[in-house]
Amino acid sequence: MTTSKGYSVWLAAVFITSFMAGMGILAMPHALAGTGWYGLILITLACVNAWYSSLILGRSWVILEERWVEYRGKFRYPYPAIGERAVGPWMRYVVTVSLHITLMGIGVVYLLLSAQIVQSMTQIFFILNYNYWIVILAVILCPLSWFGRIEEFWFAAVGALTTAGLACFSIFISMALKIPDMKDVHYGGANFSSASLAFGTILFAYSAVYMFPTIQNDMKDRQQFKKATILSFIGIMIFYLPVIITGYAVLGSAVPVNILMAIDEGYFRSFIEACLALHIFLAFLLAINPVAQEIEEVFKIKPNFNYKRCIIRSTIVTLILVVAYTIPHFDKILNLIGGSTMTLLSFILPPLFYLLLVKKGLTDTKSDIPIHERIFMYQIMITGCIGAITCTYFAVGDIIDTFIQDPSAESKGDHGIPI
């Protein structure tokens, strides 16, 4: 499906969709509960903003390829390079650090989600503490992280996309089957704090834009990147909207942080859990791979399989485990990462970098950016800044309150259920 010449448009769309699908879908119905039905406007706006950010980030990379020879071949760090050319050398490090924090945060979210799902799947056979599952799954994932580079993981992207699609469709069906039993559903309770945290979840769900330059760099025809983004965002909306709307419509304000917990136990739920578990395993490997490769290059570790690679990647998984064990609530990590570094990388920096590149005269399109496009770019940056500031503030406060109000929080799952 891929050759030495690069990805096709369809395979690039699969990579993009697999990175985004499943990242926030389990928490999105709860996010809608935090905003009320008006949250559908935020969800749509975030989707459009994320798509346009990916588009102008792609344009920025094309500018670099046109102006500098060193970017025309295989280049491992396209996003930091865009920041360096747009702002200066120091921005390269800001982007790199933000990318690493984001990918590590995603790893934490995936580890916590997988622990919760596996615990739910196995509790009919035996009961095992949630924190034990976090450690067990980290031990299982650790050796799987030792192998391969991300371009060799096309099968993982296809698998992650397929399992996410099956899970989303199954969750939608399970919610639709509950419609005849609906009664006294309450849709109120949204406030500024809940809306801010919900906005972080929404941004998280669409914030894989930071990975797009790497995927574009691996394409056979990088000028076709726009088509890949259109296909991927259409796919994401097809996945997301049925689950979000039916989940909130059926359960209202009582929708749990993880929509999976609202599905009755049985074979159907076990099937969904199995799909999600496989998706998260594959997505976890895709998420931490870029971080591992960059660290390995810093230490000049050879790309072939060797013990140094194993040590580096085992250390990364261990760091993820420490954070996950310390704050065992995936929704809180999701809100924090979604409202801070992911928003910065996906909604604030892309339009800023593109405007600066054009202003510097690095492209023939100088002064040709239509006024409506400029206004839309400013809207993306302003919306991103508002979301980043408010969500990060409330997310940090939420994490602090968890440990102040409930010192034993680390022994509980994401829903406050002792396990």
Side-chain angles (χ1 to χ4, degrees), residues 39-306:
L40 290 174
I41 299 174
L42 283 179
I43 291 170
T44 303
L45 178 63
C47 181
V48 173
N49 284 355
W51 172 74
Y52 193 76
S53 288
S54 69
L55 188 63
I56 57 180
L57 201 55
R59 291 179 189 171
S60 299
W61 181 246
V62 170
I63 291 173
L64 264 65
E65 287 187 330
E66 290 175 348
R67 294 294 174 177
W68 292 279
V69 177
E70 61 264 34
Y71 301 126
R72 294 174 187 171
K74 180 71 175 177
F75 194 81
R76 292 181 64 180
Y77 318 115
Y79 201 164
I82 292 172
E84 180 179 10
R85 294 299 183 180
V87 180
W90 64 272
M91 182 55 72
R92 177 188 183 95
Y93 299 104
V94 171
V95 174
T96 298
V97 171
S98 298
L99 282 170
H100 285 200
I101 292 174
T102 299
L103 292 171
M104 294 285 280
I106 291 172
V108 172
V109 171
Y110 282 153
L111 181 58
L112 292 174
L113 270 175
S114 59
Q116 187 180 85
I117 290 170
V118 173
Q119 186 200 39
S120 177
M121 291 174 63
T122 58
Q123 65 183 357
I124 60 174
F125 303 107
F126 58 90
I127 302 297
L128 187 63
N129 188 284
Y130 175 62
N131 284 346
Y132 291 155
W133 277 119
I134 295 174
V135 177
I136 291 171
L137 292 177
V139 172
I140 294 173
L141 286 166
C142 187
L144 295 177
S145 70
W146 297 345
F147 302 98
R149 302 164 68 91
I150 196 166
E151 55 265 32
E152 301 169 3
F153 273 71
W154 64 266
F155 60 89
V158 173
L161 180 62
T162 302
T163 50
L166 288 172
C168 288
F169 180 73
S170 300
I171 294 172
F172 165 69
I173 293 298
S174 67
M175 289 295 105
L177 292 174
K178 290 179 178 289
I179 291 177
D181 300 325
M182 289 175 57
K183 58 181 180 179
D184 299 326
V185 180
H186 179 61
Y187 297 106
N191 52 52
F192 184 71
S193 175
S194 66
S196 297
L197 292 172
F199 194 38
T201 300
I202 294 169
L203 293 178
F204 186 101
Y206 293 111
S207 294
V209 173
Y210 56 87
M211 290 297 298
F212 291 8
T214 300
I215 297 172
Q216 181 186 20
N217 188 247
D218 289 332
M219 289 184 67
K220 181 178 180 179
D221 183 358
R222 296 164 189 173
Q223 299 290 341
Q224 299 295 312
F225 182 67
K226 179 179 179 180
K227 293 181 180 179
T229 60
I230 292 174
L231 289 171
S232 62
F233 276 94
I234 290 175
I236 285 298
M237 292 301 284
I238 291 173
F239 280 7
Y240 279 1
L241 286 181
V243 174
I244 296 169
I245 293 174
T246 56
Y248 182 53
V250 171
L251 301 172
S253 300
V255 61
V257 172
N258 184 345
I259 187 65
L260 195 60
M261 299 298 105
I263 300 175
D264 297 332
E265 294 182 3
Y267 292 114
F268 195 50
R269 173 166 160 174
S270 296
F271 171 74
I272 297 173
E273 289 172 334
C275 288
L276 287 171
L278 182 56
H279 168 79
I280 292 170
F281 263 63
L282 295 171
F284 180 91
L285 299 176
L286 290 171
I288 69 169
N289 193 272
V291 177
Q293 287 192 50
E294 184 162 352
I295 293 175
E296 287 161 10
E297 184 160 300
V298 170
F299 287 98
K300 302 187 183 303
I301 297 174
K302 295 180 180 180
N304 60 299
F305 184 82
N306 56 77

